[in-house]
Amino acid sequence: RNLYRESIDSVVEQTYIPSAVIQINDDCRENVVDQGYINNVMVHRWNRHGRHHAMKNIHDGINMLDSLYKLKDCDVIILVDGDDALINKTAISEVVRTYERTGCWLTYGSYVNKSEFLKGTPYRVHRGMYPNNEEYRRMPWKASHLKTFLYGLYKSIDKEDFKKDGEWLQVCSDLALMFPMLEMAGKERVRHIETPLYIYNDMSELNDHKVAPFEQIGVDKWLRAQKPYKKIASISLSQMRN
């Protein structure tokens, strides 16, 4: 089956039905937006002309959802890359339970590689949790799939920090996105979901570490050298930097 269809099916077949889904297909011949229901879930498909890369697609996709649905600060955004998938039908239910139980503003998770998952043998769980401190830019990267966050927290990021030398970042979108939100939320409002909820397609030839490994290393170092965000008391307080 088509990878993008596998990805979208893993979302719309959840036991906890998402309010809406936006699927962005980058580097298409035309710029076309259409929509339709799949399993009673409204899916907006955006085929984008030209190459925009993950960071701008995430930003523009969330903006589209806001323009369509007038997102509330407490709405939860869940990110699934187009060639990846949720691991089972209860993944979103686990995310929702975590928000309701803990009052957190952001979650990150553990994932399994598709190459291991397909073997049907015991697989390794990747990433894990940060230690109990908030110097995220100084520690090995862990805030990976499944990445979820409150819209109000995302809204508080200065979007110019998604750019380097005035140009949208083409790699390391996960670091650029999560570092500011981890810092603003602080360890009290961040939760790691230990149960793997995500299948990462490590076999894809489009992964940053395969396409642009040296650029990825350089942008990683640049992002880690940026001034951290200040912890905020409320998600309605935006762009409060040190």
Side-chain angles (χ1 to χ4, degrees), residues 74-192:
C74 60
D75 286 337
V76 177
I77 307 292
I78 298 176
L79 298 183
V80 180
D81 289 353
D83 53 357
D84 300 338
L86 298 178
I87 200 168
N88 55 37
K89 294 184 178 182
T90 61
I92 293 180
S93 294
E94 179 65 26
V95 170
V96 172
R97 282 195 296 269
T98 301
Y99 278 91
E100 292 177 343
R101 186 177 68 249
T102 69
C104 65
W105 297 348
L106 174 151
T107 75
Y108 64 95
S110 304
Y111 63 86
V112 300
N113 282 329
K114 187 172 185 178
S115 61
E116 299 165 326
F117 188 77
L118 290 176
K119 293 176 183 177
T121 56
Y123 45 75
R124 177 185 171 195
V125 176
H126 296 267
R127 293 306 179 191
M129 69 182 298
Y130 281 110
N132 192 27
N133 66 61
E134 297 170 350
E135 294 183 339
Y136 299 106
R137 297 181 197 246
R138 297 186 179 184
M139 293 183 285
W141 174 246
K142 292 183 180 293
S144 193
H145 311 297
L146 178 66
K147 302 188 289 289
T148 84
F149 44 88
L150 297 185
Y151 173 66
L153 187 59
Y154 171 81
K155 192 173 66 175
S156 299
I157 303 174
D158 182 350
K159 305 311 182 291
E160 290 302 309
D161 291 339
F162 294 156
K163 302 175 184 179
K164 185 175 184 289
D165 300 326
E167 299 292 330
W168 285 88
L169 294 175
Q170 296 186 7
V171 296
C172 297
S173 61
D174 48 356
L175 278 70
L177 180 70
M178 297 294 276
F179 277 152
M181 293 194 291
L182 289 165
E183 291 160 348
M184 286 189 289
K187 60 181 182 289
E188 298 85 3
R189 297 287 189 176
V190 170
R191 289 295 183 274
H192 169 249

Side-chain angles (χ1 to χ4, degrees), residues 22-33 45-61 64 168:
I22 180 165
Q23 179 184 25
I24 299 179
N25 302 318
D26 203 17
D27 201 15
C28 297
R29 293 183 179 180
E30 298 179 290
N31 191 68
V32 178
V33 178
R45 304 176 192 85
W46 186 2
N47 293 338
R48 302 196 75 177
H49 176 67
R51 191 80 170 96
H52 299 276
H53 302 280
M55 189 73 263
K56 193 170 193 313
N57 283 324
I58 291 170
H59 171 71
D60 292 349
M64 175 180 279
W168 285 88

Side-chain angles (χ1 to χ4, degrees), residues 218-233:
V219 174
D220 179 294
K221 290 180 178 178
W222 179 79
L223 286 168
R224 291 178 181 278
Q226 301 307 299
K227 203 168 188 179
Y229 276 65
K230 184 178 180 180
K231 188 189 297 186
I232 59 178

